[in-house]
Amino acid sequence: MTDRVKALRTRSLEALPSISAERAELMTRFYKENDGKYSIPVMRAKAYYYLCEHKTIYIGDGELIVGERGPEPKAVPTFPELTCHSLEDLDILNTREKTSYVVPKEARDTYASGVIDYWRGRSMRDRLFEVLPMDWQDAYAAGIFTEFMEQRAPGHTVADGKIYQKGLIGFKKDIAEAITKLDYKNDPRALDRYEQLQAMDIAADATILFAKRHADKAREMAKTASADRKAELIRIAEICERVPALPARDFWEALQSYWFCHLAVVTELNGWDSFSPGRFDQHLIQYYAPAIKSGAIDYDRAKELLECFFVKFNNHPAPPKVGVTAAESGTYTDFANINIGGLTPDGKDGVNDVSYLLLDVIDEMHLLQPSNNVQVSAQNPDAFVKAAARVISHGYGFPSVFNADAVVQELLRQGKSLIDARQAGTSGCVETGVFGMEAYILTGYFNLPKILEITFHNGFDPRTGKQLGPQTGEPETFTTFEQFFEAWKTQVNHFVDIKVKGSGIIERMFGKYAPAPFLSILIDDCIEKGLDYNAGGARYNTSYIQGVGIGTITDSFSAIKKHVYEDKLVSLPDLKKALDTDFADLETLRARLWNKTPRYGNDDDAADDLMRQCFDVFFQAVDGRPNGRGGEFHVDMLPTTCHVYFGSVMGASPDGRRAQTPLSEGISPVQGADRHGPTAVLRSAAKMDHLRTGGTLLNLKFTPGALSCEEGIARLAQLIRSYFRMNGHHVQFNVVTADLLREAQADPEAHRDLIVRVAGYSDYFCDLGLALQNEIITRTEHESA
Amino acid sequence: MDACPSDARKFIGEATTVGELMTQILKDRAFYEESGGGVTFSGGEPLTHVNFLIQMLQACRKVEISTAVDTCGYARKEDVLEVAKHADLFLFDLKQIDDEHHRALTGVSNVRILENLRALAEAEAKVWIRIPLIPGCNASNEDINAFGQFIASLPKRYPVWLLPYHELGRHKHERLGMPEAPLFREPSHQEVAQAAQILRGYGLDVHTRNPS
């Protein structure tokens, strides 16, 4: 690590996340002056142009890659046109213990003196809650599901390699051509398309302007800079004049070009999962390889540039969320995710020198962001898998590991073409999508165990006191296990119906009122179709519902099957009473349910068959349903931090879990339920049909001792290959001891840099809420066998 | 045992059949195939159940799962040689070359053990020799040289693993309700390295696992 990178890294780590009201102020001002003058897409593009024209330009000391989202590192802009924070919200953000954001007085004053007033009734969130049906709102409030788009834009997509060769000027040409092709005579929507394409053109100009303003600033700073820095600033100015308008000519320009596009996407809207450069090693190798050969760049310089690039991601905490959305994703991580390895478009080994370079960068930087992962195919060499295993063994939770071959099959099943499927990867936590051409939008988490509680109460929710579901029968009426399971199935379908209906409304709202003209430029086939990314312009338009708690629901049904219907230890009504009182005075019963139930995660078909049944219920309820953007709904199985929130809104469960405690996370077994080692966990997990999902998330935990030597690394690599042979989608590794975590709990200051794997992303252990910390500790630790 | 709801008491060990055990073994087949691993039959002393052991070895060979037998070598020669026909590898323990010393430590003579090892070498079986290195019992220079001499004299060259004594098994004494076990100490890194060097002096291929 060069001194420059050390300094940039330290500055990034030390900066406190804060709110900047600059964007809110500019946006409000522009809307006040111009609302009503333009079509909605053009209005959005012009507002974005206004931002690019007026927002603060920041170039930090020693930076080689420039451009910030806010006025300075870790200053996060707000998006009042989507969700306008109240003064109470700002105060909560400023003072809450976890994931807090400093709210400077000026920011609060800006909000108090006009922002809040203007956006009341105008923000997307306000509009949404006006039109969403009551059954949706009740289920949402009860914690049956969450809603991603009640505070943030859809997002959920990743860049491909077009920008490097095309430049935004190249895209402008495509836009102009699409405009000439509009058929006003026969296409009733030709005028809408024209407005959309015009908006994209304006957005391209806005981003080019934003980049050029950096050139101006760099030249200004060069006037008073030291000799060395002056030369750098002049080069930076040159680069910012050129990209992203024109194609990148070298490695440095490629990085900067992507970065300006990234900033554009996250300035225009606050889409989920930020934005990602995709299969970065495959995009960068065409710049790296010739430069190394000619001597224009060497390994160290390329590493330095990449490390400067990485710091930029770390300067971007997630836009602040409040309420349920904060609880479901309680982290600063914004989920930009870099893919390494995998397949080339013609299906061959995609690993190259930049792949190993990126692994070195990850290993050296130990930053929270960007997230990063390796895509492992049978085509990729063992050396690559082992190199990744070595980084994993250092214990920061990175990189996570994905099955590139399974990803291709998942997308083929969804109807994508083979060439497109190979250009896919995973982003966010574990979600699968085709980079550069798919809008694979996650709509929210789905609380499978909570629905069991609803079933126990004949469709009634004891916590909110409302009848949320149909009356499927009181516990006394279920004489067989199958009948009770059917009742749960009926309830699941009922709530999926509600969720899907609500999503239809939300999609249309975003499509109409909050288009993303800049993002639409980068994602095929928006220009060709003249349609916005949020309105179905992409080649593939997918919606996802994320299933949470498969471990808990499986073990719950296993307990009911065995103890109620087979051994007749307790009747279903008595079990319901026990759950309602959180096992008051019934510790023996609870211990029995907890210890004497066949549990998922132990390679025991008695439990694992039930897991499959539960999965199938969820899958059949969701998969293949049409969405409003010309695509379909599919499932994925990941929680982020929602397993903690979802557990908190329900009582005890039949597997002996106590009231309000977290559910199982991802597709991992219930914390502590696996007693037969990691191979048994992997075998249980592999019994789920991963290829029918759009991503699954499995956490495994090892102590440092298990992986400390080459033999341990080799074993880790083999474990990964074995799981992927069984079509597992993803696995990630936590390599810390439970003792160390307890130490960190007791003394957070001494363990500030302790990063652990949460669920599809890593986070600082000390930033996690207490419930989540404890949950991670109880996740099973596998001693080296 | 089933009566205890919290699983606080349990049996260690259960009766099983070849079929049941094979079902368990086959569960992890995907992992063995990837890693080149297999099944190790250990104990106790697996050669006290020769018939069952041979059936298991045959069953594994039939499905191409590789096998190893971890033994102290104190068994009938015929049994050892019979097992050698069906196992892919022996992990053979050597505790002490001097017979009197061996009796004092284990209660039995080592003559049979050494003969069995020699017979395996003559039959060209695949063997890894394992020496638990315990200061005070078998770790003196004299002891190590005796090991070196004996192993070098075998008709087939076998690799040697030096396994330094560790304390991890102490809790088993408590759980078994046994009286306080005699105290040994863990050898130092230098002691292990020195022993390895002496053995290598006999032309042997020596592997060490350092005390953790």
Side-chain angles (χ1 to χ4, degrees):
Chain A
M1 206 185 294
T2 59
D3 287 335
R4 176 211 308 279
V5 169
K6 266 196 204 111
L8 289 173
R9 179 181 181 272
T10 304
R11 223 179 297 154
S12 184
L13 287 175
E14 289 178 352
L16 286 177
S18 66
I19 302 285
S20 159
E22 185 181 66
R23 186 185 180 285
E25 191 173 23
L26 291 169
M27 192 57 80
T28 307
R29 195 185 311 156
F30 185 80
Y31 265 80
K32 273 193 180 150
E33 285 170 20
N34 296 286
D35 199 14
K37 285 186 191 168
Y38 310 105
S39 68
I40 293 177
V42 171
M43 180 68 181
R44 290 296 304 163
K46 282 191 185 278
Y48 169 62
Y49 190 99
Y50 188 74
L51 290 175
C52 290
E53 216 176 6
H54 291 99
K55 63 189 283 213
T56 307
I57 302 292
Y58 172 88
I59 295 181
D61 277 336
E63 282 193 321
L64 295 178
I65 308 292
V66 301
E68 279 297 331
R69 181 182 204 174
E72 57 179 10
K74 299 254 182 108
V76 189
T78 57
F79 299 75
E81 71 269 33
L82 293 182
T83 300
C84 189
H85 295 98
S86 66
L87 292 175
E88 291 75 39
D89 288 333
L90 292 177
D91 291 338
I92 289 173
L93 289 171
N94 196 27
T95 56
R96 70 187 179 193
E97 207 200 315
K98 302 287 179 182
T99 350
S100 65
Y101 295 77
V102 171
V103 182
K105 186 170 180 306
E106 318 84 71
R108 197 179 190 279
D109 288 344
T110 302
Y111 263 69
S113 63
V115 171
I116 292 174
D117 286 337
Y118 184 79
W119 293 103
R120 188 175 300 115
R122 286 192 173 90
S123 73
M124 177 62 78
R125 189 174 197 227
D126 288 347
R127 287 195 222 231
L128 280 178
F129 279 99
E130 290 282 299
V131 299
L132 285 166
M134 272 329 283
D135 59 2
W136 188 98
Q137 301 208 34
D138 286 341
Y140 174 74
I144 305 254
F145 51 71
T146 63
E147 177 48 61
F148 267 27
M149 286 177 265
E150 62 98 3
Q151 283 180 42
R152 294 182 67 165
H156 287 117
T157 191
V158 171
D160 61 5
K162 299 192 290 282
I163 186 63
Y164 309 104
Q165 275 78 53
K166 259 180 127 102
L168 288 178
I169 303 281
F171 282 110
K172 276 171 64 89
K173 287 204 188 87
D174 293 344
I175 292 167
E177 201 182 310
I179 289 177
T180 62
K181 289 207 181 115
L182 290 171
D183 181 357
Y184 286 93
K185 193 155 132 210
N186 297 308
D187 178 6
R189 301 191 51 195
L191 186 61
D192 292 331
R193 293 189 219 279
Y194 172 72
E195 293 294 328
Q196 177 67 30
L197 288 163
Q198 222 198 342
M200 291 192 216
D201 193 63
I202 295 169
D205 287 338
T207 306
I208 292 171
L209 171 65
F210 184 62
K212 285 208 191 316
R213 287 182 65 210
H214 285 80
D216 293 336
K217 174 105 184 170
R219 277 188 290 262
E220 189 63 39
M221 289 169 76
K223 288 186 187 149
T224 50
S226 70
D228 289 339
R229 185 59 180 159
K230 190 188 185 119
E232 281 178 358
L233 285 166
I234 290 174
R235 177 85 180 101
I236 288 170
E238 222 174 64
I239 293 173
C240 297
E241 285 288 349
R242 185 174 171 94
V243 297
L246 292 168
R249 290 170 301 190
D250 61 30
F251 194 79
W252 190 346
E253 286 183 3
L255 295 178
Q256 185 66 67
S257 182
Y258 171 76
W259 187 243
F260 277 131
C261 290
H262 183 104
L263 289 172
V265 171
V266 303
T267 297
E268 171 179 70
L269 283 173
N270 63 359
W272 281 96
D273 294 352
S274 183
F275 197 47
S276 303
R279 299 133 69 82
F280 215 25
D281 44 354
Q282 290 190 38
H283 302 316
L284 289 177
I285 190 67
Q286 52 208 303
Y287 295 102
Y288 183 75
I292 288 281
K293 202 163 171 193
S294 71
I297 207 174
D298 64 9
Y299 174 87
D300 288 328
R301 178 60 167 179
K303 179 145 81 78
E304 185 180 42
L305 283 165
L306 274 173
E307 292 184 341
C308 289
F309 179 75
F310 265 51
V311 169
K312 304 304 291 178
F313 287 89
N314 203 59
N315 289 345
H316 286 189
K321 308 151 230 164
V322 287
V324 170
T325 301
E328 76 182 327
S329 183
T331 175
Y332 289 124
T333 305
D334 207 16
F335 295 97
N337 201 333
I338 301 194
N339 278 228
I340 305 169
L343 295 169
T344 58
D346 59 351
K348 304 284 179 284
D349 174 24
V351 172
N352 58 41
D353 287 341
V354 178
S355 317
Y356 292 102
L357 176 53
L358 282 165
L359 284 175
D360 285 343
V361 166
I362 291 162
D363 203 18
E364 211 171 65
M365 291 302 275
H366 289 146
L367 288 174
L368 188 65
Q369 306 199 73
S371 301
N372 47 77
N373 66 74
V374 291
Q375 300 280 323
V376 173
S377 159
Q379 307 266 7
N380 300 132
D382 282 345
F384 175 66
V385 184
K386 279 200 195 161
R390 244 169 249 121
V391 180
I392 290 169
S393 75
H394 296 153
Y396 284 80
F398 288 130
S400 57
V401 191
F402 287 93
N403 185 346
D405 300 323
V407 163
V408 171
Q409 291 184 77
E410 286 159 23
L411 293 171
L412 287 175
R413 184 197 76 90
Q414 291 178 11
K416 273 105 179 175
S417 78
L418 180 62
I419 306 293
D420 288 349
R422 285 181 185 144
Q423 293 182 88
T426 49
S427 61
C429 291
V430 298
E431 305 83 88
T432 305
V434 184
F435 295 166
M437 49 183 103
E438 183 172 1
Y440 45 111
I441 294 171
L442 271 62
T443 62
Y445 300 100
F446 199 77
N447 194 343
L448 295 167
K450 171 76 181 173
I451 296 177
L452 182 63
E453 182 177 70
I454 304 278
T455 311
F456 263 106
H457 292 88
N458 201 6
F460 184 79
D461 176 28
R463 192 179 141 264
T464 57
K466 293 194 179 163
Q467 183 73 26
L468 298 178
Q471 295 199 341
T472 42
E474 292 294 335
E476 298 75 63
T477 63
F478 298 109
T479 51
T480 68
F481 173 77
E482 287 71 27
Q483 284 171 2
F484 189 56
F485 191 81
E486 266 308 300
W488 177 73
K489 181 175 174 181
T490 304
Q491 298 285 352
V492 168
N493 275 279
H494 171 80
F495 289 109
V496 170
D497 284 345
I498 293 176
K499 175 78 178 149
V500 168
K501 199 166 77 176
S503 292
I505 295 169
I506 293 168
E507 275 179 355
R508 292 241 184 273
M509 296 286 283
F510 269 91
K512 181 161 179 150
Y513 294 109
F518 183 80
L519 180 58
S520 302
I521 297 171
L522 299 178
I523 305 295
D524 294 340
D525 299 311
C526 296
I527 293 177
E528 215 177 286
K529 294 189 204 170
L531 278 182
D532 191 77
Y533 175 85
N534 288 346
R539 183 171 306 172
Y540 303 109
N541 292 279
T542 318
S543 303
Y544 278 101
I545 303 180
Q546 301 95 269
V548 178
I550 190 76
T552 303
I553 190 70
T554 298
D555 291 356
S556 294
F557 274 120
S558 182
I560 292 169
K561 188 170 204 207
K562 177 174 168 68
H563 300 293
V564 173
Y565 291 100
E566 285 171 7
D567 297 354
K568 304 203 200 299
L569 173 74
V570 61
S571 73
L572 201 62
D574 284 345
L575 178 58
K576 171 173 175 253
K577 277 197 209 111
L579 298 178
D580 286 345
T581 61
D582 196 10
F583 298 108
D585 297 325
L586 290 167
E587 183 51 30
T588 309
L589 172 65
R590 195 198 72 79
R592 241 183 221 298
L593 294 172
W594 187 262
N595 290 305
K596 305 290 187 186
T597 297
R599 281 184 173 269
Y600 166 69
N602 294 293
D603 198 10
D604 177 356
D605 282 340
D608 296 346
D609 282 347
L610 282 171
M611 179 277 289
R612 276 196 274 232
Q613 282 180 53
C614 292
F615 173 82
D616 278 339
V617 164
F618 180 56
F619 175 81
Q620 277 152 24
V622 175
D623 188 73
R625 288 217 201 193
N627 63 26
R629 295 175 288 125
E632 289 180 345
F633 273 87
H634 296 297
V635 305
D636 51 24
M637 310 292 287
L638 64 116
T640 311
T641 57
C642 206
H643 54 295
V644 178
Y645 165 63
F646 273 173
S648 75
V649 300
M650 61 179 278
S653 38
D655 68 329
R657 177 193 138 274
R658 293 196 196 279
Q660 279 113 50
T661 57
L663 308 179
S664 60
E665 44 85 12
I667 63 166
S668 307
V670 167
Q671 296 82 346
D674 54 307
R675 310 272 177 94
H676 287 86
T679 58
V681 173
L682 292 176
R683 285 201 30 99
S684 282
K687 289 177 197 172
M688 182 181 290
D689 193 354
H690 296 244
L691 301 182
R692 283 193 278 146
T693 71
T696 62
L697 190 146
L698 181 66
N699 249 313
L700 282 184
K701 194 163 162 198
F702 287 94
T703 49
L707 302 177
S708 59
C709 57
E710 270 314 290
E711 211 187 306
I713 301 296
R715 268 192 245 128
L716 185 61
Q718 286 150 9
L719 202 69
I720 291 167
R721 293 278 204 196
S722 304
Y723 184 51
F724 289 176
R725 262 179 70 163
M726 300 188 275
N727 287 332
H729 173 86
H730 152 279
V731 64
Q732 63 195 28
F733 299 96
N734 237 341
V735 187
V736 289
T737 57
D739 283 340
L740 181 65
L741 295 177
R742 279 184 209 107
E743 242 179 70
Q745 247 184 353
D747 186 8
E749 282 323 296
H751 297 276
R752 264 273 124 222
D753 73 330
L754 179 61
I755 296 181
V756 295
R757 198 74 186 166
V758 180
Y761 68 104
S762 295
D763 211 338
Y764 290 108
F765 186 73
C766 301
D767 280 344
L768 305 176
L770 191 63
L772 189 53
Q773 284 184 347
N774 286 333
E775 191 264 311
I776 290 176
I777 291 174
T778 44
R779 275 187 212 166
T780 311
E781 196 177 33
H782 293 286
E783 295 294 324
S784 180
Chain B
M1 290 310 121
D2 206 49
C4 174
S6 304
D7 280 348
R9 304 197 63 187
K10 36 168 102 166
F11 281 124
I12 307 291
E14 42 186 68
T16 186
T17 65
V18 172
E20 281 167 3
L21 194 51
M22 277 315 291
T23 304
Q24 287 302 315
I25 288 172
L26 284 167
K27 281 186 176 184
D28 279 348
R29 195 215 288 235
F31 298 100
Y32 314 143
E33 289 186 3
E34 201 59 48
S35 68
V39 181
T40 302
F41 293 91
S42 180
E45 173 49 64
L47 264 64
T48 58
H49 306 275
V50 177
N51 288 329
F52 185 76
L53 177 61
I54 290 177
Q55 284 179 67
M56 286 304 306
L57 293 171
Q58 286 171 323
C60 287
R61 190 162 273 179
K62 201 162 174 201
V63 289
E64 300 199 25
I65 291 180
S66 78
T67 54
V69 175
D70 185 0
T71 178
C72 72
Y74 190 74
R76 300 185 326 153
K77 194 188 293 189
E78 313 87 80
D79 289 342
V80 172
L81 291 175
E82 187 59 33
V83 168
K85 290 191 192 139
H86 304 283
D88 297 315
L89 172 66
F90 275 88
L91 304 173
F92 200 103
D93 287 346
L94 275 189
K95 297 187 177 79
Q96 177 53 260
I97 299 295
D98 178 81
D99 192 27
E100 211 181 291
H101 209 164
H102 192 278
R103 271 181 221 265
L105 289 171
T106 68
V108 299
S109 157
N110 68 4
V111 167
R112 189 189 292 194
I113 295 172
L114 300 181
E115 275 179 10
N116 283 337
L117 185 51
R118 190 171 292 282
L120 282 175
E122 276 158 12
E124 306 224 331
K126 186 170 178 195
V127 179
W128 294 353
I129 295 177
R130 313 215 299 184
I131 300 175
L133 195 67
I134 310 173
C137 300
N138 66 357
S140 72
N141 279 347
E142 208 185 308
D143 293 328
I144 304 296
N145 275 290
F147 280 124
Q149 238 175 344
F150 177 77
I151 298 170
S153 78
L154 295 172
K156 191 163 151 80
R157 181 104 323 156
Y158 286 141
V160 177
W161 264 262
L162 279 180
L163 308 177
Y165 172 73
H166 60 67
E167 289 276 288
L168 294 178
R170 286 201 74 77
H171 72 285
K172 280 192 185 170
H173 291 276
E174 296 161 27
R175 295 180 77 183
L176 289 169
M178 282 172 67
E180 188 73 30
L183 277 167
F184 301 118
R185 68 166 176 83
E186 297 180 354
S188 66
H189 284 248
Q190 295 99 295
E191 283 172 301
V192 177
Q194 220 176 312
Q197 203 178 357
I198 294 175
L199 290 174
R200 287 189 187 111
Y202 286 88
L204 300 178
D205 177 21
V206 183
H207 304 260
T208 60
R209 203 183 287 171
N210 270 315
S212 44

